[in-house]
Amino acid sequence: MNKISLCVVLLVFGLAASAIAQTAAAPNKVGVIDMQRAIATTQEGQKAAADLTARYEPKRRELEKKQSEIQALRDQLSRGSNTMSDDAKQTLTRDIDTKTKAWNRETEDATADSQQDMDKVLQVFMERMQVVIDKYARDNGYSLVLDISAQQSPVIYAQNSIDITTDIVALYDKNTPAPAGTAKPATAPPAAKPVATPPAKPAVAPAK
């Protein structure tokens, strides 16, 4: 092998070794984010949560009123159990049972509707948030970003220093105009909950 060929070979091997060394030395930068908290604390997220609450507030009040009426009937049945005739007890019990079943159906429907609306809103936010996270990760050299908001998240420990939730919220708000009537910062994402608490069980079982 002549001197020129030897120099070329050595140069190639030298460049390859340098590239491998740089790759090995470059750390894999990892970050974590609480997606639910991020969405809930953006200005748009706060407004969306307030809008959903306002939309279902009339139904919630209606169900609470019906719940109180059912409970009043139960109290009436309990107080008059020793003085009411059997026919009166059976009539009142059937009335309670009918109203309770109707209340349960309405509550389930309202809960399903609110959950469906919330899922639609969250889907839109997830797509927008993903764009922000992608840009942030590329600009800051992150190799991996993990969502730790899910209860079944595989992450069991992460240093606070690698949590990018606050940075993502700030970047999201910076690139998104604040909606009118933005609510105060939320501490938790909107969650699907029953519109009201089911009434207590009847004091007297319905007549067969």
Side-chain angles (χ1 to χ4, degrees):
M1 183 179 293
N2 58 41
K3 291 184 178 180
I4 295 177
S5 299
L6 179 60
C7 289
V8 171
V9 171
L10 291 176
L11 178 60
V12 170
F13 274 106
L15 292 175
S18 176
I20 293 173
Q22 290 178 5
T23 302
N28 290 322
K29 195 172 181 181
V30 177
V32 296
I33 181 172
D34 186 331
M35 284 290 284
Q36 292 184 4
R37 178 162 63 88
I39 291 173
T41 52
T42 61
Q43 295 173 340
E44 271 194 328
Q46 297 165 36
K47 180 63 166 56
D51 289 345
L52 280 176
T53 299
R55 184 184 307 173
Y56 286 96
E57 180 64 16
K59 188 62 178 180
R60 185 188 67 80
R61 292 185 178 182
E62 177 189 341
L63 289 171
E64 283 189 347
K65 180 180 179 181
K66 291 182 178 181
Q67 180 186 26
S68 297
E69 292 173 353
I70 293 172
Q71 188 58 52
L73 292 176
R74 296 187 188 286
D75 293 341
Q76 178 184 344
L77 180 60
S78 179
R79 289 193 304 269
S81 60
N82 296 326
T83 58
M84 296 173 63
S85 66
D86 290 341
D87 288 343
K89 289 180 184 179
Q90 292 177 5
T91 299
L92 184 55
T93 298
R94 283 194 297 268
D95 189 22
I96 292 172
D97 185 54
T98 299
K99 291 180 181 295
T100 300
K101 289 179 179 178
W103 184 92
N104 286 334
R105 285 194 298 270
E106 289 187 54
T107 300
E108 291 174 359
D109 290 343
T111 300
D113 289 343
S114 63
Q115 179 67 61
Q116 185 176 35
D117 284 344
M118 187 181 70
D119 288 345
K120 290 179 181 178
V121 170
L122 288 177
Q123 181 61 37
V124 172
F125 273 103
M126 289 291 286
E127 293 173 358
R128 294 177 181 174
M129 191 68 73
Q130 185 64 55
V131 174
V132 175
I133 294 173
D134 288 348
K135 183 180 186 309
Y136 180 90
R138 289 194 303 270
D139 291 347
N140 293 275
Y142 281 88
S143 302
L144 180 67
V145 176
L146 301 171
D147 180 11
I148 59 174
S149 61
Q151 291 183 350
Q152 301 301 323
S153 170
V155 179
I156 59 176
Y157 171 78
Q159 292 182 342
N160 293 333
S161 60
I162 68 170
D163 190 330
I164 64 172
T165 303
T166 301
D167 291 342
I168 294 299
V169 171
L171 185 59
Y172 187 100
D173 286 342
K174 180 180 179 181
N175 291 279
T176 307
T182 302
K184 294 182 179 180
T187 56
K193 297 181 178 179
V195 179
T197 303
K201 293 182 178 180
V204 178
K208 296 182 179 179

